[in-house]
Amino acid sequence: MPVDSSKKNYDVAVIGGGMIGPAVAVGLLERGLDVCILDEADDVLRVARGNFGLVWFQGKGFGMPRYVEWTRRSASLFPGFAQELRESTGVDIGLAQPGGLELLLGDEEEARRRHYLGQIYQQGGGARYEVEFLDRKQVEEMLPGVRLGDGVTAASYSPLDGHVNPLFLLRAMHTRFRQLGGAYLPHHHVSGVTRRGSAYELQTAGGIVSAGKIVIAAGHGLRDLGPPLGLDVPIRPQRGHILVTERTQPFLPMPMSAFRQTVEGSVMLGVSAEEVGYDDSINTATLHSIAERAGRIIPALRQLNIVRTWSALRVLTPDKCPVYTESRTHPGIYAIASHSGVTLAAANAKVASGWIAGEPPPPEFEAFGLERFDAEATA
């Protein structure tokens, strides 16, 4: 469907072209709304392009049972979402949900993991929580042909976990967005927003854009855009590194929290968490630590050459749970922030977009507002 590039008036303007913005925008277009995505150039922090690619349930939602429910909902929606993208765009995002493992080295790690997941279960009031612990023998049976390191004692496992190719997911959502008539406007850095009658005017590097509603899904850009609009969302960057090996024959039948084998045969290794501000440079000591731990868990990984590495900056709230909120001072302007852009893509497209369109908010959203941070500040 051709897009009128001269058009500057929309029902909804979505700020941000990463994982969250296009997912929500596709859902809005499917509901019949006229939508544009305002994006920047490639010289900004592109968190979506540094993603590990997990669709991950286990371990999410500590301190917030509603986040457990929201993650479960998105994981359950993913097969249908992936199929729709493949059938409409021809892009296979590589979704596989065979379950996932968190492999544990030693009794101390196992005890910490049991305590952490046990707390999430208890916080849910005894509601179902699809995570179980496997001993070493059970893990070996789940990974036939894979020799585990001597230090591996156990693993946590969830049947809801899986993975995708994150770049193909991003491509598929953008392709679907354009198919549905969405207007993608790169080089449109937003410098200000002003109310004009029943709509908002956005001052951008590409000129004035008008929209009845605005969704700010700009990742780290929310720090500057949000506060003047009543959306002072406390986010911080956290650096993570990823290493990619040469291609090899398939030998890992499922993803793990720290490594996964892609459909092309390479193995992606992670994960690190560094509080270094907005520094996305490579730290060789961190790379060594990731590779060393991976080799201790699965010794065969030591035989593979590392061919590529990068770092990216997660978008984290103080409680590491997402934000979905509408401004109290500027009705019709919404903010969405999360470090789980891949995991939540299906729910953002199928459910969160309905909330933006005017449908009743899903019950999970009662926990995702900014009020929780006010409570923390006064506690």
Side-chain angles (χ1 to χ4, degrees):
M1 181 176 180
V3 175
D4 182 0
S5 60
S6 66
K7 179 179 173 60
K8 296 294 182 179
N9 300 294
Y10 302 90
D11 295 325
V12 186
V14 176
I15 305 174
M19 288 293 175
I20 296 174
V24 171
V26 165
L28 290 168
L29 286 165
E30 289 176 341
R31 286 170 168 81
L33 297 176
D34 196 5
V35 185
C36 70
I37 291 178
L38 304 176
D39 207 356
E40 299 198 41
D42 283 340
D43 58 351
V44 297
L45 293 171
R46 290 285 183 180
V47 178
R49 298 182 188 178
N51 202 288
F52 197 58
L54 294 178
V55 177
W56 210 246
F57 172 77
Q58 63 171 298
K60 298 285 181 70
F62 180 84
M64 188 179 287
R66 286 297 197 185
Y67 187 21
V68 177
E69 298 167 12
W70 187 235
T71 305
R72 179 188 294 113
R73 188 196 290 224
S74 194
S76 67
L77 288 170
F78 238 109
F81 183 52
Q83 181 178 349
E84 288 178 11
L85 290 175
R86 182 174 62 253
E87 292 176 350
S88 60
T89 70
V91 179
D92 187 343
I93 67 173
L95 174 68
Q97 286 180 290
L101 293 167
E102 170 92 15
L103 297 178
L104 304 166
L105 288 169
D107 294 339
E108 185 176 338
E109 276 195 15
E110 181 181 349
R112 285 200 303 268
R113 185 69 174 170
R114 285 183 178 276
H115 178 69
Y116 179 76
L117 295 178
Q119 286 182 295
I120 295 176
Y121 172 73
Q122 291 173 358
Q123 289 163 1
R128 65 189 173 117
Y129 186 56
E130 299 92 332
V131 181
E132 62 180 300
F133 277 86
L134 308 176
D135 61 27
R136 182 185 173 99
K137 185 176 184 300
Q138 290 172 309
V139 175
E140 290 174 333
E141 292 172 350
M142 193 167 282
L143 300 175
V146 177
R147 185 175 76 81
L148 300 177
D150 294 340
V152 176
T153 57
S156 57
Y157 166 78
S158 173
L160 301 183
D161 292 337
H163 57 154
V164 300
N165 182 314
L167 297 182
F168 284 178
L169 172 61
L170 189 62
R171 176 186 170 191
M173 291 192 297
H174 273 272
T175 301
R176 183 59 177 156
F177 173 77
R178 292 192 296 271
Q179 283 181 340
L180 292 168
Y184 176 68
L185 305 176
H187 307 287
H188 274 65
H189 170 79
V190 178
S191 57
V193 176
T194 305
R195 185 79 184 189
R196 290 284 185 268
S198 61
Y200 289 100
E201 286 188 352
L202 298 93
Q203 292 80 46
T204 84
I208 300 295
V209 175
S210 176
K213 292 182 178 181
I214 299 172
V215 179
I216 306 176
H220 294 293
L222 181 57
R223 288 170 59 99
D224 294 326
L225 286 170
L229 302 172
L231 294 167
D232 193 359
V233 182
I235 58 173
R236 74 177 195 277
Q238 184 187 74
R239 187 171 69 188
H241 283 71
I242 293 175
L243 297 82
V244 182
T245 74
E246 62 184 321
R247 296 181 181 184
T248 187
Q249 292 297 314
F251 74 105
L252 295 179
M254 64 181 61
M256 297 153 208
S257 61
F259 36 85
R260 69 181 189 90
Q261 188 167 25
T262 69
V263 68
E264 296 83 10
S266 59
V267 180
M268 297 179 68
L269 310 176
V271 176
S272 64
E274 302 165 274
E275 306 297 337
V276 293
Y278 287 94
D279 177 5
D280 63 351
S281 61
I282 299 295
N283 184 297
T284 55
T286 301
L287 299 181
H288 178 270
S289 177
I290 291 172
E292 191 274 337
R293 178 178 173 83
R296 289 174 60 199
I297 293 175
I298 299 182
L301 292 172
R302 294 176 177 147
Q303 308 305 314
L304 299 176
N305 293 314
I306 302 297
V307 298
R308 191 165 66 255
T309 186
W310 65 82
S311 69
L313 301 176
R314 301 180 184 93
V315 178
L316 285 186
T317 63
D319 57 12
K320 300 182 181 180
C321 296
V323 166
Y324 293 83
T325 189
E326 181 179 5
S327 172
R328 293 178 177 176
T329 60
H330 294 70
I333 300 185
Y334 304 80
I336 303 177
S338 173
H339 75 283
S340 296
V342 169
T343 297
L344 298 180
N348 284 335
K350 296 301 178 183
V351 185
S353 57
W355 167 63
I356 302 294
E359 298 171 13
E364 295 93 337
F365 280 21
E366 68 180 20
F368 295 157
L370 298 180
E371 300 80 8
R372 69 188 197 259
F373 303 119
D374 296 335
E376 289 176 5
T378 57

